[in-house]
């Protein structure tokens, strides 16, 4: 019986091999579905409370829209499986924060670049800090299996540093590299700049020792052996258009922008507090966020920014409690005891909702939330001034990215002289929002491991779907 199935399989594979090269664009349109394979990680594709998100997901969704087809995202357990999926022509595109390398380019057609990244050597502060390639020879280096960095280290080993040694971590998410560093299982890790900057907050003792080479291109790869000419032309056009109309920049800002400006000390304290203080308040924060139909990670992030989750916090300027409400705000919200943690959290959540309701309708999510947070700090009137300034300077007053650039101008007399409400500490408001965004993302990512795909167990997982079904029938 089994032999029979295998013969059938071999015959089928032969037949498939002999087929005409198919036009992938026509095939996608015919099927009405674009299949994108990605890695499940904070920098690429993951699920949050509102569903799928991540930089690669956002781009893929726009591409599917442009093609007028449905999007199907697939994840793999590691980078080797990702390319194996392309080899088997089981996906139309691989979009996973992938670096353009010579080896890959020789086998897989690829798009024009849509992002830049720099490979970096990361070490743990307090330990030896290597400064160059010679220093890292003989050290225990962790890299993602099948990654561009393995290719790079191999080349370096052949040409310059024969003593180079490394361990390949068989995962798709670079968080695992940082985990190994943290646990002392590795001395160094090689990781891309964009990945490291978004994940560093939880690993404050880890720092960049030096850049391993120059900036590189991030591209999408396509399966070999099919006619991708038209699909590639479509994709390249699509990327150029997104570059031109500012969408690409906006997505970059949305997914990677919040990492600027969170200082290392902040990161240190945050990591410690997530471990020690958050568990004490988490249940309550979740409950109150739920009452106000808010993402609890956001409420937790605001509370952290305000008081470091300290219900008894007080400041010399007279603000108090977990959400650091002023006396006047508290009164307006019906909070009579600001040091009562339940009242404080409720007050803060209600206050944010109230501000959000008063923002102009044209401001859409997520910008709406970031602007509401800025107003939470400096008031709606000043936010409005910054939006007017933005418009005057040719920016879009409904985008946080544009308004964020103008808020600090409210501290310079040549600008605030000509606003309605005058001076405001705009820079502080920007820092506050960017910090909250960062804490918020990190808290939300904490839940990623729970949805990670399991490693493939059976050889069947490697078979194309149609063949798998046939084989099952035959058996
Ligand atoms: N960009 C890397 C690659 O293309 C993956 C991410 C990383 O290892 O930091 O293989």
């Amino acid at each position: 019986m089994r032999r029979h199935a295998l013969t059938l399989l071999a015959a089928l594979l032969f037949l498939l091999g002999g087929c005409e090269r198919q036009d992938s664009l026509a095939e996608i349109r015919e099927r009405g579905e674009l299949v994108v394979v990605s890695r499940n990680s904070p920098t690429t594709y993951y699920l949050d409370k509102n569903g799928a998100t991540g930089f690669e997901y956002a781009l893929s969704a726009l591409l599917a829209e442009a093609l007028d087809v449905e999007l199907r995202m697939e994840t793999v357990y590691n980078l080797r499986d990702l390319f194996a999926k392309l080899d088997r022509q089981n996906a139309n595109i691989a979009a996973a924060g992938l670096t353009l390398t010579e080896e890959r380019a020789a086998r897989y057609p690829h798009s024009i670049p849509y992002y830049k990244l720099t490979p970096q050597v990361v070490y743990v502060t307090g330990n030896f800090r290597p400064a160059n390639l010679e220093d890292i020879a003989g050290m225990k280096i962790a890299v993602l299996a099948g990654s561009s960095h393995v290719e790079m280290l191999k080349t370096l080993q052949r040409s310059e540093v024969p003593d180079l040694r490394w361990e390949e971590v068989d995962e798709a998410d670079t968080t695992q590299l940082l985990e190994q560093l943290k646990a002392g299982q590795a001395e160094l890790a090689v990781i891309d700049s964009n990945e490291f900057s978004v994940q560093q907050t939880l690993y404050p003792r880890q720092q960049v020792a030096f850049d391993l080479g120059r900036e590189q291109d991030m591209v999408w790869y396509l399966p070999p052996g099919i006619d991708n000419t038209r699909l590639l032309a479509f994709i390249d056009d699509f990327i150029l258009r997104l570059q031109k109309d500012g969408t690409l920049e906006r997505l970059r800002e949305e997914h990677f922008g919040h990492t600027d400006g969170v200082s290392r000390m902040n990161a240190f304290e945050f990591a410690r507090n997530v471990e020690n203080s958050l568990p004490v308040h988490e249940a309550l924060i979740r409950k109150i966020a739920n009452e106000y139909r808010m993402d609890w990670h956001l409420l937790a992030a605001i509370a952290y920014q305000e008081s470091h989750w300290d219900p008894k916090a007080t400041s010399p300027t007279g603000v108090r409690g977990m959400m650091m409400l002023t006396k006047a705000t508290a009164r307006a919200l019906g909070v009579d005891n600001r040091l009562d943690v339940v009242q404080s959290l409720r007050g803060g959540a209600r206050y944010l909702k109230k501000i959000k309701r008063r923002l102009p309708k044209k401001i859409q999510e997520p910008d709406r939330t970031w602007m509401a947070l800025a107003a939470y700090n400096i008031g709606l009137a000043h936010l409005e001034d910054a939006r007017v300034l933005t418009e005057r300077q040719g920016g879009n007053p409904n985008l946080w990215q544009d308004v964020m650039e103008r808020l600090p101008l409210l501290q310079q007399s040549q600008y605030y002289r000509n606003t309605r409400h005058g001076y405001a500490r705009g820079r502080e408001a920007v820092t506050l929002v960017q910090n909250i965004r960062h804490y918020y993302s990190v808290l939300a990512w904490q839940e990623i491991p729970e949805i990670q795909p399991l490693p493939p167990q059976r050889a069947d997982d490697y078979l194309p779907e149609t063949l798998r079904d046939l084989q099952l029938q035959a058996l």
Side-chain angles (χ1 to χ4, degrees):
M1 214 42 175
R2 191 170 286 268
R3 190 166 337 132
H4 176 69
L6 285 176
T7 328
L8 193 75
L9 246 171
L12 251 162
L13 282 172
F14 177 77
L15 274 176
L16 282 177
C19 278
E20 284 267 296
R21 276 161 67 97
Q22 225 186 338
D23 171 21
S24 51
L25 184 65
E27 186 260 333
I28 290 168
R29 288 204 158 123
E30 223 165 83
R31 208 161 19 100
E33 185 182 64
L34 174 74
V35 183
V36 174
V37 57
S38 193
R39 294 186 285 147
N40 185 211
S41 86
T43 45
T44 50
Y45 164 61
Y46 65 101
L47 303 178
D48 71 6
K49 204 176 135 259
N50 303 315
T53 182
F55 184 57
E56 295 288 11
Y57 171 77
L59 280 175
S60 307
L62 286 177
L63 178 67
E65 205 180 293
L67 286 164
D68 198 20
V69 296
E70 295 290 315
L71 171 67
R72 182 153 59 114
M73 291 299 283
E74 302 233 319
T75 51
V76 281
Y77 187 63
N78 58 33
L79 286 167
R80 273 197 286 255
D81 290 354
L82 179 132
F83 285 101
K85 230 176 159 61
L86 283 189
D87 287 330
R88 295 194 311 272
Q89 301 172 354
N90 273 356
N92 301 115
I93 302 175
L98 299 170
T99 309
L100 177 61
T101 74
E102 261 175 46
E103 249 175 55
R104 288 174 180 171
R107 175 156 178 81
Y108 306 96
H110 62 83
S111 70
I112 55 170
Y114 58 93
Y115 199 82
K116 297 266 181 216
L117 30 82
T118 310
Q120 299 180 313
V121 175
V122 172
Y123 79 114
V124 181
T125 44
N127 298 347
F128 170 65
R129 176 184 179 164
N132 51 38
L133 281 175
E134 259 163 51
D135 286 350
I136 65 172
M139 288 182 81
K140 239 177 142 181
I141 308 171
V143 277
L144 276 197
S147 69
S148 55
H149 306 139
V150 171
E151 198 179 315
M152 195 166 180
L153 290 173
K154 275 186 187 154
T155 312
L156 288 170
Q157 190 187 46
R158 267 197 307 268
S159 57
E160 291 173 55
V161 207
D163 295 343
L164 216 46
R165 299 279 173 272
W166 61 88
E167 303 249 335
E168 298 185 21
V169 178
D170 209 17
E171 300 266 351
D173 181 1
T174 42
T175 316
Q176 296 308 321
L177 301 178
L178 305 183
E179 277 296 322
Q180 291 225 342
L181 271 189
K182 188 176 168 192
Q185 290 158 350
E187 292 171 288
L188 304 170
V190 180
I191 175 171
D192 282 325
S193 43
N194 65 321
E195 308 249 343
F196 184 58
S197 65
V198 291
Q199 310 205 53
Q200 194 191 11
T201 307
L202 281 178
Y203 304 92
R205 285 188 60 211
Q206 305 185 7
Q207 292 290 308
V208 176
F210 63 95
D211 288 350
L212 193 66
R214 275 176 290 134
E215 208 174 54
Q216 299 176 333
D217 289 330
M218 193 191 279
V219 296
W220 282 347
Y221 287 100
L222 277 64
I226 18 177
D227 184 359
N228 280 309
T229 329
R230 290 179 57 220
L231 178 59
L232 259 185
F234 191 95
I235 291 175
D236 288 352
D237 264 3
F238 167 81
I239 294 175
L240 284 175
R241 182 161 55 77
L242 261 51
Q243 238 154 22
K244 233 192 233 144
D245 70 9
T247 309
L248 201 55
E249 190 48 43
R250 185 174 59 73
L251 289 178
R252 272 185 205 137
E253 210 287 322
E254 194 176 308
H255 294 276
F256 302 117
H258 55 80
T259 53
D260 310 336
V262 178
S263 77
R264 197 172 144 237
M265 269 327 284
N266 283 351
F268 243 121
E269 255 192 291
F270 181 64
R272 203 178 50 229
N273 279 306
V274 167
E275 233 165 276
N276 302 331
S277 313
L278 182 59
V280 183
H281 305 290
E282 187 178 317
L284 186 65
I285 294 175
R286 276 179 189 263
K287 177 171 169 273
I288 289 169
N290 201 21
E291 281 173 20
Y292 290 89
R293 300 197 188 294
M294 230 177 126
D295 184 342
W296 80 268
H297 301 105
L298 179 64
L299 186 60
I302 304 171
Y304 182 74
Q305 171 66 27
E306 293 295 339
S307 70
H308 285 197
W309 296 316
D310 175 7
K312 302 282 173 247
T314 51
S315 96
T317 52
V319 292
R320 280 168 173 245
M322 178 77 100
M323 297 297 275
M324 288 298 212
L325 301 173
T326 62
K327 222 175 183 162
T329 309
R331 199 175 310 124
L333 293 164
V335 170
D336 53 40
N337 180 3
R338 286 180 288 162
L339 296 180
D340 176 323
V341 63
V342 178
Q343 286 198 26
S344 182
L345 282 167
R346 281 205 180 119
R350 203 174 318 143
Y351 189 36
L352 188 68
K353 275 228 138 160
K354 223 166 134 174
I355 295 175
K356 259 184 145 172
R357 264 202 301 272
R358 290 175 57 194
L359 287 176
K361 292 245 165 359
K362 275 192 223 131
I363 309 176
Q364 287 171 359
E365 289 293 1
D367 301 76
R368 201 172 177 81
T369 298
W370 313 145
M371 293 222 216
L373 286 171
Y376 187 100
N377 181 248
I378 52 164
L380 270 167
H382 290 304
L383 177 74
E384 194 44 40
D385 279 351
R387 293 184 61 240
V388 170
L389 251 177
T390 307
E391 191 148 35
R392 265 188 222 152
Q393 296 190 345
N396 182 343
N398 301 323
L399 287 185
W400 168 244
Q401 198 189 340
D402 286 11
V403 176
M404 176 178 99
E405 269 174 42
R406 276 70 184 203
L407 270 165
L409 303 182
L410 298 180
Q411 286 173 226
Q412 295 178 26
S413 66
Q414 82 228 57
Y415 293 103
Y416 70 71
R417 260 200 323 253
N418 304 317
T419 60
R420 255 182 95 181
H421 305 95
Y423 174 88
R425 287 160 67 168
R427 188 174 297 282
E428 193 182 289
V430 173
T431 308
L432 170 123
V433 178
Q434 296 298 87
N435 280 354
I436 293 177
R437 287 180 64 191
H438 189 63
Y439 298 140
Y440 172 44
S441 303
V442 175
L443 287 172
W445 295 334
Q446 291 260 291
E447 291 173 11
I448 292 182
E450 293 168 23
I451 54 157
Q452 247 169 20
L454 291 169
Q457 302 276 315
R458 301 157 300 143
D460 289 15
D461 291 339
Y462 291 98
L463 293 175
E465 237 157 334
T466 41
L467 288 185
R468 210 185 302 159
D469 292 342
L470 264 172
Q471 191 199 25
L472 286 178
Q473 280 167 23
L475 295 174

